[in-house]
């Protein structure tokens, strides 16, 4: 469904949890299809079904790296179970494949999305996955304390820049 191998799924399960096997073996567990699809959608590893509301592309500029156009971008703070600890935020969307120079496994970046305040994140986990289509999916994940809105530019700051 996500177009990735077992190692990626094992990594996501270890990192995020939230999906319980209903059979199989430890090396090859079996999961209910509906639960697996929802889990992958919650992690932004597969797009939601049905028509999606189009969103303007965003720009992600990595510190010391390239600037990317991100299609279908979404910045969100997923809900966590009560008592699960520190919250996190994530930004995801589709990018052109094989973009060189993307920092990995962590990066600091500026996220600019039309209609939203520019956002800065420090030391986000970088995950790029293939969905078997013409685009790859970029997901940045970070503890909530490492992200912040940037002040909107004013005429004065733009003139000084």
């Amino acid at each position: 469904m996500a177009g990735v191998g077992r190692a990626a799924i094992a990594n996501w399960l270890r990192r995020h949890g939230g999906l319980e096997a209903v059979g199989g073996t430890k090396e090859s567990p079996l999961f209910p299809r509906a639960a697996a699809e929802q889990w992958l959608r919650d992690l932004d590893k597969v797009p939601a079904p049905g028509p999606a509301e189009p969103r303007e592309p965003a720009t992600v500029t990595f510190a010391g790296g390239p600037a990317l156009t991100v299609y279908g971008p979404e910045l969100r703070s997923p809900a966590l179970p009560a008592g699960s600890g520190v919250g996190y935020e994530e930004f995801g969307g589709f990018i052109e494949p094989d973009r060189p120079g993307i920092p990995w496994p962590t990066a600091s970046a500026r996220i600019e999305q039309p209609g939203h305040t520019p956002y800065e994140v420090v030391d986000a986990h970088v995950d790029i996955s293939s969905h078997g289509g013409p685009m790859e999916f970029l997901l940045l994940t970070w503890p909530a304390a490492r992200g912040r809105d940037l002040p909107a530019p004013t005429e004065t700051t733009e003139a000084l820049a």
Side-chain angles (χ1 to χ4, degrees):
M1 287 183 272
V4 298
R6 290 182 185 185
I9 298 297
N11 232 356
W12 297 340
L13 282 167
R14 188 173 40 256
R15 190 175 308 133
H16 304 289
L19 182 64
E20 299 297 323
V22 294
T25 65
K26 183 177 180 182
E27 294 79 26
S28 186
L30 296 175
F31 303 99
R33 182 175 184 88
E37 286 176 357
Q38 184 60 50
W39 181 75
L40 289 167
R41 278 195 296 278
D42 290 346
L43 294 177
D44 285 329
K45 301 299 182 184
V46 296
E53 180 181 313
R55 292 185 287 266
E56 295 275 334
T59 301
V60 173
T61 305
F62 290 102
L68 302 176
T69 300
V70 180
Y71 301 93
E74 185 175 5
L75 175 64
R76 63 190 194 120
S77 299
L80 296 175
S84 63
V86 177
Y88 71 99
E89 297 173 319
E90 59 188 25
F91 174 81
F94 293 92
I95 61 173
E96 298 288 335
D98 303 321
R99 293 296 307 253
I102 298 174
W104 183 87
T106 61
S108 296
R110 177 183 173 102
I111 301 167
E112 297 180 64
Q113 187 173 352
H116 297 275
T117 303
Y119 200 79
E120 180 179 67
V121 59
V122 176
D123 293 332
H125 173 77
V126 179
D127 184 22
I128 300 173
S129 57
S130 173
H131 291 275
M135 304 288 272
E136 292 180 328
F137 193 82
L138 170 71
L139 180 65
L140 304 176
T141 309
W142 61 91
R146 291 191 193 158
R148 68 183 179 103
D149 287 333
L150 296 172
T154 64
E155 289 182 34
T156 305
T157 58
E158 288 174 354
L160 293 174

